[in-house]
Amino acid sequence: MLKETAIKEMENYFGTDTRRINHAKKVTNYALDILNSERIDNPFFSKTVTLTGVFHDIGIHEAERKYNSNSGKYQEIEGPAIARMILEKMNIEKDVIDRVCYIIGGHHTESKIDNIDFKIIWDADLIVNLEEDNICADKEKVSKIIAKSFKTESGKRLAEKLYLNR
């Protein structure tokens, strides 16, 4: 129910931007797959992973409007306030909102990764970006990215399965 409600809110916010909507849905689904594969049975992490997956790029339109750029650093600046507003409207607990906003505010900055929920979002977004940026066609490059950039074993295995047929 949480995922469906969050997706509706995200779709309302993004309007006709199906590219961003589909990206968020894919990241959320991969993040939940990784969460389950990591065998993390923690309601807090389940909520933060779900909500961050859905809303991680929510600042992209505002970044484009304010800075004429969809650069990750601008998404990190603009996203948390928008996410907070939506999550408060959804009556999400303050500690969950704070955590989701922290991750959204750093989801393009590797040095800010501080816990498993953030690692899961990082890996899920990377999996989707490998496909959307058409990097997945270059198996050697994908192999290097998996070895260097992925943060969870489940994320690595999923990327290998999807892009290296392992």
Side-chain angles (χ1 to χ4, degrees):
M1 188 71 196
L2 177 67
K3 178 181 162 187
E4 292 76 16
T5 303
I7 286 172
K8 282 279 180 236
E9 292 291 337
M10 178 267 299
E11 288 173 335
N12 288 340
Y13 186 82
F14 278 144
T16 59
D17 190 347
T18 54
R19 187 170 129 230
R20 290 345 183 320
I21 291 168
N22 291 333
H23 174 85
K25 288 178 179 178
K26 286 190 260 183
V27 169
T28 303
N29 289 334
Y30 284 135
L32 292 172
D33 288 347
I34 295 168
L35 178 75
N36 291 331
S37 295
E38 290 288 313
R39 293 188 166 83
I40 298 167
D41 185 21
N42 178 310
F44 181 81
F45 285 143
S46 180
K47 284 182 183 177
T48 60
V49 166
T50 301
L51 294 169
T52 308
V54 172
F55 295 113
H56 72 283
D57 282 344
I58 204 72
I60 201 162
H61 286 174
E62 195 62 12
E64 289 170 337
R65 187 184 72 74
K66 274 189 180 176
Y67 309 100
N68 203 30
S69 171
N70 63 11
S71 165
K73 70 178 180 179
Y74 298 126
Q75 291 179 46
E76 289 179 344
I77 292 167
E78 300 302 327
I82 298 164
R84 184 173 299 279
M85 179 186 68
I86 295 168
L87 295 170
E88 285 173 351
K89 187 176 104 179
M90 291 173 60
N91 293 315
I92 302 299
E93 303 92 326
K94 185 185 181 321
D95 61 334
V96 174
I97 293 173
D98 290 344
R99 182 64 184 160
V100 169
C101 289
Y102 172 77
I103 298 171
I104 291 171
H107 79 279
H108 287 282
T109 307
E110 191 171 10
S111 63
K112 291 187 177 181
I113 298 172
D114 64 349
N115 211 331
I116 189 66
D117 52 348
F118 201 147
K119 290 177 184 179
I120 289 168
I121 293 298
W122 180 271
D123 285 2
D125 198 24
L126 190 50
I127 287 170
V128 176
N129 287 335
L130 286 171
E131 175 196 331
E132 290 179 353
D133 297 341
N134 207 27
I135 297 167
C136 61
D138 184 340
K139 292 197 185 303
E140 188 176 317
K141 191 171 187 178
V142 169
S143 187
K144 287 178 182 173
I145 291 169
I146 291 170
K148 179 180 174 276
S149 300
F150 277 75
K151 306 301 177 194
T152 68
E153 288 306 310
S154 298
K156 288 177 188 177
R157 283 194 305 271
L158 181 56
E160 288 171 349
K161 182 178 146 193
L162 290 167
Y163 304 126
L164 302 178
N165 303 316
R166 290 187 186 161

